[in-house]
Amino acid sequence: MHLDPAGSTALVMDGVTLTEEPAGSHACQPIGGSSADFQLTNIVISQDAAGTVTAFTPQINQPFYVNWSVSADASVCVRTASSNVTSATITGWVVGSAINSPAGAHHEPVTPMQGGTYSFGVICSNASGYKTGSAPHIPAAAPSPAPVLTAVPTTQSVGGGVTVTWPAMTNAVSCTGSATRNADPTPLTVTNWTTAFDPNAAQFSRSIVVPAGLSPGDNLKLMLTCINGDNVAVSSATPAVVTVASATPISVALQVTPTAATTGNPPNPATVTVSAPTNSALANMACTGTIQTATGTISSGWAGWTGPFSIPATGTLSQSVTLPTTATAGAYTFKMTCSLGQQSAVDTGQAVLTLSDPGTAACSGTIPAGDPRLAGQPDTAQRVRLAQADIKYGVVPQGTRTAVPFTEFANIWGYNAPTTPPPPVAWPGIIGSAPGYLMPRNGYFGVHFKTPAVGPTPPAGYFASSTYGGSDPVSVSLSTTCGDFAGDPSTNACYATNVQADDGGVLNWQFDSTGQTPPSKWFCYLKPNTDYYLNVMFTSTTRQSGSRCLAADTTGACHIMLVRQ
């Protein structure tokens, strides 16, 4: 091989001449005569088979077309795609499948089975090279539904909490809240709201705080925009509005139901409900309740009220309150203070529960002279109810219980010393309890007790008028009626008249679990679950021989010691 002796740039080899062609010519032709510079168009997506390019959003389970073309110089084309194109996600486009002799236009139908980002391509080649193309992805479905916001409460003070909720959404990967004041479009910064967050992790709810800088009467307007993985966004159509409350305390009209109860162990009823009209401004407030007596002192032990509690997000207050067994008769006012942020709430002081002793409710202040309840008594003069007295226990008292209400049996025979720890022992009380007290000669009392469903152990007992103190003769009874002394002791052991202070037994009672046994001259049978009264009065309102009454008139205080045996 040598240079052309004529002076050209051609190389001359024996029998072959290689001649330079002008730039852009195709002097080198591969076998078969095809060009290495074949043309492959960019891939486009269309809704129709003609490859018409229009704006549209591919939909799941709806076919569209992948369009491309290649010139006649290509000998083979192979379909390619992103790694997420599989038979489960896309049908009609088989990755790796080849098209021989592909020259011409191609309009290939494909159907997405799942939302996602997909790329399509082809690699075409002949003996000299290849070119590729790709297509847009299938966008994910838009977030749905558009968020409809609810704010609770709708009135809140600066620094107070608000819970914003909206229905569960699909396809939302991120949400960002916005906030404005009144008609001012200037955006506000609200902690936990005006930053991007995952709505699924937040369970479509956010707790926010009314920001500083707002004034009472301002409207805090909250909006929300959520996007999918392709940044396709949907926004709330209308804002959730929170009105900024003033720092003036909210007045709460508490109600107690029922408004009356009786004392006891347990009281009746044992619980009451304290409520207030629903007010969204009270939502999530932390409260402290107290009970105030008629004298202004604080009463303790009212479980469910005397301590901290909170009002639910609904703004509805309804507290079940257990009455203490130690509560005495009187008026009790439910008080409350609540706060959340700068907002506070106070009660109007109108929720009053009136507690009365069962004896007070059922026992009259006087038994008129000649009243049927005194029938058969040697002295039917008027009797006046003993409301309270000081009590000393036993022959050698260790102290005095002062101003003991003579309303409940347990108040008296539920103790055996001033130091007996509360609560007092319920009926039948403490065996051997020996309360000593003074009562006017024209006095009487009826103390209430209720028998249990199951009898006590032992299931029987009696009372004895102690010789200690030299009590005047008394009349006593066990009856379902307060102040009832009209029974016949000769046939009914539930009654006794002219009982002397000689330690003798009277009112021999026995618990009858059947509730069917009538009283006899030997036993006073007591039924289960029944209200009874132990009634006591002096048999005569006139002074008796040897009496230790402190005065000669009917109001003179006389000593009694009726021992529980």
Side-chain angles (χ1 to χ4, degrees), residues 53-106:
V53 178
T54 57
F56 81 102
T57 300
Q59 301 293 320
I60 295 174
N61 296 322
Q62 297 295 321
F64 61 88
Y65 293 83
V66 178
N67 304 280
W68 58 281
S69 64
V70 67
S71 66
D73 296 323
S75 59
V76 63
C77 291
V78 177
R79 298 178 181 88
T80 65
S82 54
S83 61
N84 59 344
V85 174
T86 67
S87 60
T89 59
I90 297 289
T91 61
W93 190 268
V94 181
V95 177
S97 59
I99 306 172
N100 295 312
S101 301
H106 297 263

Side-chain angles (χ1 to χ4, degrees), residues 490-504:
S490 66
T491 60
N492 189 338
C494 296
Y495 298 86
T497 300
N498 203 34
V499 176
Q500 303 296 315
D502 59 4
D503 296 328

Side-chain angles (χ1 to χ4, degrees), residues 70-293:
V70 67
S71 66
D73 296 323
S75 59
V76 63
C77 291
V78 177
R79 298 178 181 88
T80 65
S82 54
S83 61
N84 59 344
V85 174
T86 67
S87 60
T89 59
I90 297 289
T91 61
W93 190 268
V94 181
V95 177
S97 59
I99 306 172
N100 295 312
S101 301
H106 297 263
H107 308 286
E108 300 192 58
V110 298
T111 301
M113 308 303 291
Q114 299 177 15
T117 300
Y118 303 107
S119 295
F120 303 88
V122 291
I123 297 177
C124 296
S125 64
N126 61 11
S128 300
Y130 68 86
K131 292 185 178 181
T132 62
S134 62
H137 74 282
I138 306 299
S144 177
V148 178
L149 304 181
T150 300
V152 176
T154 57
T155 302
Q156 187 57 280
S157 60
V158 171
V162 176
T163 300
V164 185
T165 59
W166 60 99
M169 303 176 67
T170 58
N171 303 316
V173 298
S174 179
C175 293
T176 303
S178 61
T180 57
R181 173 174 53 190
N182 302 328
D184 185 353
T186 305
L188 301 177
T189 298
V190 178
T191 302
N192 210 36
W193 183 252
T194 52
T195 55
F197 59 88
D198 182 351
N200 301 287
Q203 296 184 332
F204 310 100
S205 174
R206 299 294 272 179
S207 295
I208 67 171
V209 173
V210 177
L214 300 181
S215 302
D218 280 347
N219 287 326
L220 175 64
K221 297 183 176 181
L222 304 170
M223 297 283 285
L224 187 66
T225 298
C226 298
I227 61 174
N228 66 6
D230 296 317
N231 292 320
V232 176
V234 294
S235 300
S236 46
T238 57
V241 178
V242 179
T243 301
V244 180
S246 69
T248 302
I250 300 170
S251 182
V252 181
L254 294 179
Q255 302 168 342
V256 57
T257 305
T259 59
T262 56
T263 60
N265 186 11
N268 184 25
T271 61
V272 295
T273 299
V274 181
S275 60
T278 299
N279 184 346
S280 62
L282 300 176
N284 303 315
M285 279 196 170
C287 304
T288 299
T290 58
I291 302 289
Q292 194 174 80
T293 67

Side-chain angles (χ1 to χ4, degrees), residues 290-300 302 328 330-333 335:
T290 58
I291 302 289
Q292 194 174 80
T293 67
T295 60
T297 59
I298 301 301
S299 178
S300 61
W302 300 67
T328 57
Y332 295 86
T333 301
K335 309 292 291 181

